[in-house]
Each structure stands twice: as structure tokens, then as C-alpha cells.
């Protein structure tokens, strides 16, 4: 790259005060717009968010039929049936759960290990909300949990005679006396473009106990009923348990799982704290387009190209200048906005989904990078169309409009995902820090902060569009008369 040409283009840029002010305004928008992106009110009257052993928000709600277990022991039971109260088809919500659980105590977010039958995912063993393992045989209806110190082993059987181990897990700090027994949970089911609360009912056989079980009666409790992540019961349905022969019938709602944006719509994610990306993008598109269209409008392009340095080099120099300026200013703004607004939002009592430092750095740098690439895209489109209004409209239509269409509440999730897969908006995946959990069914859409592509794949989509536009611009710039 010719340094003299770069210096000339940089001088042109900073000699237009309106462009410099617009660059500063774009950075300011990233700093002042974040709260507009946060979800609306939701989560019921309670704002208490259960926090699991790993420090993340969790759903900790289920109906628990329990007794104390002192020291080591074992519990075995048959789950004869599992059905949902409101599921439109026969059977149960896919992640409805019924089985055995050992929990460290009554505090929300306590450590636990559970073995369970599910409505549509076979038999599983889960512990501490984040960890899930499938068991065999998938159609097993007999379950067993064994405690030995702080180690819990889960097993399953199809006939109650031949057992297969699902997993053995360690729960550090497990007290000498724990609560253990039967549980039923039923998360909201996905229903079209939203979710609907539901409840599950399970028929248990007689629990078989061995080890340190004091001679006490079974007690039933609804766990987590007054938390922000508990969706409640359908109208006309309540949780509870009742004797059924030698066993029990148990009805429960809620979930034991990591919390998602669907569970905490009023919670904030780092992408919400970068909501100023959108107004900043429009300002940057205007400036980048004007860098080329202004030269055509005032016939300055003849002078620029007459220097004999090569038309492609001129286009490249402009691209480097606008991309460099955009990246530097918006990176500084994003690096300040995320920690600043995180502290302010938490101070207001709003839960902020945590993210590893590396993911936050990627979101901040990725925001600056996608804005820089969009600036180059706008420059290329301006070169192709040579008219400011037309070029700005075209770039905004392909970089902003698809995202706002994806945010429409009645937009079908497949369409919302498609819009953020094949359009330049896919690059917004660089801002995603929320985790898509395979053991949680919810509405994983861009409106909730979940993008269909991984961050770098989304960025590659935008880069592909920009490369194509630059190639067309270079060909036209060489062939056209100035």
C-alpha cells in the first residue's frame, strides 16, 4: 500500500469536520444506547434469581417428595408413567422429568444429583444444573441412586433386575445429612413463537431404601415457587403428591437446568449493552458512502484518479482509512460501554448473564470489526452506485432491516434464524455470549440474543458480501470513465 496515498485519503477524511464529528457520534451512540436493548418486564413478581454452584443463573423448581438421608444409602424406584397436563399430543413435554434426586440442602441453587425418566429424551443423569448425560437403555423405567460420601452413582434398568450405570459424579461439600427422594419437574413447552406453562404427573412404584434412612414419613414441597425462573403451573393444576398403592402419584412443574433468556426476559446480556451498534452503524454507513460519492458529486474523482497511482489502489486506500478509523473509535467505545453498563445495570437490580473474559473481549472487538467491515461494504456500494442516498439505502436495507425484521414478535423462529444466517446481519453473532443448552428447550432466536451461526462463521458471511461488493466496485472503477 502506497503510504502517500494513505496519507492523502486520511487528510481528506479529517479535513471534513462533519465526517470527524459523525465518527465521534457513532462511538457516543455505542456508549449511550445500551439500555434500549434490554428485554421487557417479565419473570413474575419475584426478582430472586437462583445461582448455581458454577455461578450462573439456574432454574431450580420442582416438586420434591423427600426424606433425610444420613450418611450413605440407596434408593430405588419404578417410574410407571409420565404425562403432561397441557401437552397437545399424548405423552409429556420432551424435557419433563420424573425420578430420584439427592440435594445438599433447601437453599436455592444447592448442589444436587438426579437420575430421571424424561418425556422425550430417554433416561438421563444430571447434576449441578449444567451437566447432563444420557443413559441406557433409553426406555428404562427403573431408577436407582446410590450415595457413598460425596459421590453419587445413578443407574437405570428396564426390568428392575439388570442395571446399567449412567454416571458417577462428585458433589464437593455434600453434608452428612442430605435430602433425597422423588421429584417431578416440567419446564414450559415450546408453543409456536412462544412458550406455554405446563405440569407433569408421574406414577411411582414403592421406593426401596437401604442405608441411613431415619424412620420418618415422606414430605412434599414445591421447590423454587417464588423465584424469577419459575414459570408456575397451568390454570387449574397444582403441585402435590398422594399415595397410589404402595407408591405415589406426584405432580410438579419447573425445571432443574441452567437459566436461559426465556427464563429471565428482564435479564441483560452483553449484546444488550452494545445495542448502540445499530444507530452507530447507520452513521458509519453514511460517512463511508460519502467518502466516494462526494468525489463523484463534485467531480473531485478526476483529480484523485489523475495522480497515476492506480484506481484500485485509491479504492484500497479509502477502505483502509475508513475501516481503521471505524475500528479504533468503536473499539474504544465498546470497551468502555460493556463494563460501565454492566455495573450500572446490576446496580439497578437487573440480572446480567455472566460471560468469560475472552467472550467479552470477542464481543467488544467483534463489534468494532463488524462496523469496520460494514464501512468498507458501504464504500464499495457507494463506488458501484455513485449516488449517496441510493447507496446508503441499499446498505442499510441489507445490514439493519433483516435484524429488525427478526425482532418482530410474530416472526416465525425459522424465518428469524434464516434472516440472521444468510444476510450480513449474521455478523452480529460476534456479540453473542449466551449459551444454547442442549438440555433446555426454549425460543433460541436473535430476539432473545441467540444467533444461529457461531461468531466467526457469522462474521465470515459479512466478509463474503463485502469481498463481493469490493470486487464489483474495483471492476467498475477500472472500466468507467471518471
Amino acid at each position: 500500500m502506497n503510504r502517500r496515498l494513505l496519507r492523502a485519503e486520511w487528510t481528506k477524511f479529517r479535513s471534513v469536520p462533519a465526517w470527524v464529528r459523525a465518527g465521534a457520534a457513532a462511538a457516543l451512540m455505542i456508549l449511550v444506547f445500551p439500555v434500549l436493548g434490554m428485554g421487557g418486564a417479565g419473570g413474575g413478581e419475584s426478582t430472586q434469581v437462583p445461582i448455581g454452584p458454577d455461578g450462573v443463573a439456574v432454574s431450580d423448581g420442582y416438586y420434591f417428595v423427600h426424606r433425610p438421608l444420613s450418611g450413605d444409602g440407596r434408593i430405588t424406584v419404578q417410574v410407571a408413567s409420565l404425562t403432561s397436563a397441557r401437552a397437545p399430543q399424548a405423552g409429556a413435554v420432551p424435557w419433563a422429568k420424573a425420578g430420584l434426586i439427592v440435594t445438599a440442602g433447601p437453599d436455592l441453587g444447592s448442589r444436587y444429583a438426579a437420575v430421571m425418566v424424561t418425556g422425550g429424551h430417554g433416561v438421563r443423569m444430571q447434576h449441578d444444573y449444567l451437566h447432563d448425560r444420557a443413559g441406557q437403555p433409553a426406555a428404562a423405567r427403573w431408577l436407582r441412586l446410590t450415595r457413598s460420601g460425596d459421590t453419587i452413582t445413578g443407574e437405570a434398568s428396564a426390568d428392575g433386575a439388570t442395571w446399567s450405570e449412567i454416571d458417577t459424579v462428585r458433589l464437593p461439600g455434600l453434608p452428612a445429612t442430605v435430602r433425597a427422594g422423588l421429584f417431578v419437574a416440567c419446564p414450559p413447552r415450546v408453543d409456536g413463537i412462544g412458550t406455554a406453562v405446563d405440569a407433569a404427573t408421574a406414577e411411582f412404584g414403592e421406593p426401596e431404601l437401604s442405608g441411613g434412612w431415619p424412620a420418618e414419613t415422606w414430605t412434599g414441597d414445591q421447590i423454587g415457587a417464588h423465584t424469577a425462573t419459575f414459570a408456575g403451573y397451568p390454570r387449574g393444576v397444582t403441585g402435590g403428591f398422594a399415595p397410589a398403592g404402595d407408591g405415589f402419584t406426584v405432580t410438579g412443574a419447573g425445571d432443574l437446568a441452567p437459566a436461559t433468556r426465556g427464563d429471565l426476559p428482564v435479564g441483560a446480556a452483553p449484546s444488550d449493552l452494545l445495542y448502540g451498534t445499530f444507530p452507530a452503524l447507520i452513521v458509519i454507513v453514511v460517512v463511508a458512502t460519502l467518502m466516494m460519492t462526494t468525489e463523484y458529486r463534485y467531480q473531485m474523482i478526476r483529480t484523485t484518479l489523475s495522480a497515476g497511482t492506480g484506481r484500485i489502489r485509491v479504492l484500497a486506500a479509502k477502505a483502509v482509512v475508513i475501516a481503521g478509523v471505524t475500528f479504533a473509535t468503536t473499539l474504544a467505545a465498546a470497551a468502555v460501554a460493556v463494563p460501565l453498563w454492566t455495573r450500572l445495570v446490576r446496580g439497578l437490580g437487573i440480572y446480567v448473564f455472566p460471560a468469560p473474559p475472552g467472550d467479552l473481549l470477542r464481543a467488544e472487538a467483534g463489534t468494532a470489526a463488524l462496523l469496520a467491515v460494514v464501512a468498507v461494504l458501504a464504500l464499495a456500494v457507494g463506488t458501484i452506485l455513485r449516488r449517496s442516498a441510493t447507496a446508503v439505502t441499499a446498505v442499510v436495507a441489507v445490514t439493519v432491516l433483516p435484524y429488525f425484521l427478526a425482532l418482530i414478535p410474530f416472526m416465525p423462529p425459522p424465518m428469524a434464524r434464516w434472516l440472521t444466517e444468510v444476510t450480513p446481519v449474521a455478523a452480529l453473532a460476534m456479540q453473542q455470549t449466551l449459551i444454547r443448552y442442549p438440555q433446555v428447550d426454549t425460543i433460541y432466536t436473535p430476539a432473545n440474543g441467540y444467533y444461529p451461526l457461531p461468531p466467526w462463521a457469522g462474521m465470515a458471511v459479512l466478509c463474503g458480501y463485502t469481498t463481493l461488493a469490493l470486487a464489483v466496485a474495483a471492476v467498475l472503477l477500472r472500466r468507467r470513465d471518471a
Side-chain angles (χ1 to χ4, degrees), residues 176-466:
T177 298
V178 297
R179 301 200 303 173
L182 319 175
F183 83 99
V184 173
C186 186
R189 55 184 167 82
V190 176
D191 184 18
I193 61 174
T195 59
V197 295
D198 211 327
T201 298
E203 298 285 344
F204 292 94
E206 181 182 8
E208 299 176 11
L209 309 177
S210 63
W213 297 85
E216 296 189 15
T217 59
W218 293 99
T219 302
D221 294 307
Q222 174 62 54
I223 306 300
H226 302 292
T227 62
T229 53
F230 183 69
Y233 282 85
R235 180 173 296 181
V237 180
T238 58
F241 80 107
D246 293 329
F248 298 100
T249 298
V250 184
T251 298
D255 201 6
L256 279 158
T260 67
R261 191 63 177 273
D263 301 307
L264 288 171
V266 76
S271 58
D272 300 323
L273 309 181
L274 291 168
Y275 190 73
T277 300
F278 300 102
L281 184 147
I282 296 173
V283 173
I284 289 167
V285 166
V286 172
V287 173
T289 302
L290 290 175
M291 281 188 68
M292 182 60 79
T293 58
T294 298
E295 297 215 26
Y296 281 106
R297 181 179 180 182
Y298 295 104
Q299 299 299 313
M300 295 170 56
I301 191 69
R302 296 179 182 275
T303 303
T304 299
L305 299 180
S306 65
T309 54
R311 297 187 176 195
I312 305 304
R313 290 183 179 180
V314 170
L315 179 62
K318 288 181 179 293
V320 169
V321 169
I322 189 59
V325 171
T326 300
F327 183 82
T329 55
T330 57
L331 176 60
V336 172
V338 171
L340 173 64
W341 280 101
T342 297
R343 175 173 293 187
L344 292 175
V345 168
R346 284 177 175 162
L348 295 174
I350 298 174
Y351 179 77
V352 179
F353 285 89
D359 288 355
L360 290 177
L361 178 60
R362 184 253 300 153
E364 294 162 2
T367 296
L370 75 88
L371 288 172
V373 175
V374 168
V376 176
L377 173 63
L379 177 73
V381 173
T383 304
I384 295 169
L385 299 179
R386 297 193 290 188
R387 288 178 173 80
S388 302
T390 306
V392 169
T393 301
V395 177
V396 169
V398 298
T399 58
V400 177
L401 183 59
Y403 178 77
F404 285 109
L405 288 175
L407 292 185
I408 295 175
F410 51 82
M411 177 70 69
M415 179 61 71
R417 288 190 291 268
W418 181 84
L419 286 170
T420 48
E421 281 180 329
V422 303
T423 70
V425 174
L428 286 171
M430 292 295 287
Q431 296 182 343
Q432 177 171 292
T433 58
L434 297 175
I435 299 174
R436 188 189 299 257
Y437 295 100
Q439 72 271 36
V440 181
D441 285 340
T442 189
I443 306 298
Y444 290 112
T445 61
N448 284 330
Y450 299 93
Y451 291 87
L453 295 179
W456 295 107
M459 190 68 180
V461 173
L462 173 61
C463 289
Y465 279 98
T466 302

Side-chain angles (χ1 to χ4, degrees), residues 13-302:
F13 180 86
R14 62 188 179 88
S15 65
V16 182
W19 294 357
V20 175
R21 289 195 296 268
L28 186 61
M29 289 174 179
I30 293 176
L31 285 172
V32 301
F33 270 77
V35 291
L36 296 181
M38 285 188 289
E45 297 179 358
S46 173
T47 58
Q48 184 178 10
V49 178
I51 304 298
D54 293 287
V56 300
V58 298
S59 294
D60 189 9
Y62 55 100
Y63 198 88
F64 190 16
V65 181
H66 58 90
R67 289 172 61 174
L69 169 61
S70 298
D72 298 341
R74 171 180 289 176
I75 179 171
T76 304
V77 77
Q78 180 188 20
V79 183
S81 66
L82 175 63
T83 57
S84 296
R86 294 288 187 267
Q89 69 281 352
V93 171
W95 278 112
K97 305 167 182 177
L100 303 172
I101 186 170
V102 171
T103 179
D107 295 336
L108 293 173
S110 295
R111 291 187 181 276
Y112 77 93
V115 62
M116 66 200 71
V117 169
T118 65
H121 297 279
V123 63
R124 324 286 295 194
M125 183 166 179
Q126 298 179 348
H127 72 282
D128 289 354
Y129 308 93
L130 301 181
H131 310 284
D132 169 70
R133 176 169 291 187
Q136 295 295 332
R141 287 292 174 172
W142 289 82
L143 305 174
R144 175 182 288 168
L145 271 185
T146 303
R147 179 198 182 180
S148 178
D150 59 3
T151 299
I152 309 295
T153 299
E155 300 172 273
S157 171
D159 56 10
T162 303
W163 293 88
S164 298
E165 181 178 320
I166 302 174
D167 201 4
T168 295
V169 301
R170 182 173 176 269
L171 305 181
L174 199 64
T177 298
V178 297
R179 301 200 303 173
L182 319 175
F183 83 99
V184 173
C186 186
R189 55 184 167 82
V190 176
D191 184 18
I193 61 174
T195 59
V197 295
D198 211 327
T201 298
E203 298 285 344
F204 292 94
E206 181 182 8
E208 299 176 11
L209 309 177
S210 63
W213 297 85
E216 296 189 15
T217 59
W218 293 99
T219 302
D221 294 307
Q222 174 62 54
I223 306 300
H226 302 292
T227 62
T229 53
F230 183 69
Y233 282 85
R235 180 173 296 181
V237 180
T238 58
F241 80 107
D246 293 329
F248 298 100
T249 298
V250 184
T251 298
D255 201 6
L256 279 158
T260 67
R261 191 63 177 273
D263 301 307
L264 288 171
V266 76
S271 58
D272 300 323
L273 309 181
L274 291 168
Y275 190 73
T277 300
F278 300 102
L281 184 147
I282 296 173
V283 173
I284 289 167
V285 166
V286 172
V287 173
T289 302
L290 290 175
M291 281 188 68
M292 182 60 79
T293 58
T294 298
E295 297 215 26
Y296 281 106
R297 181 179 180 182
Y298 295 104
Q299 299 299 313
M300 295 170 56
I301 191 69
R302 296 179 182 275

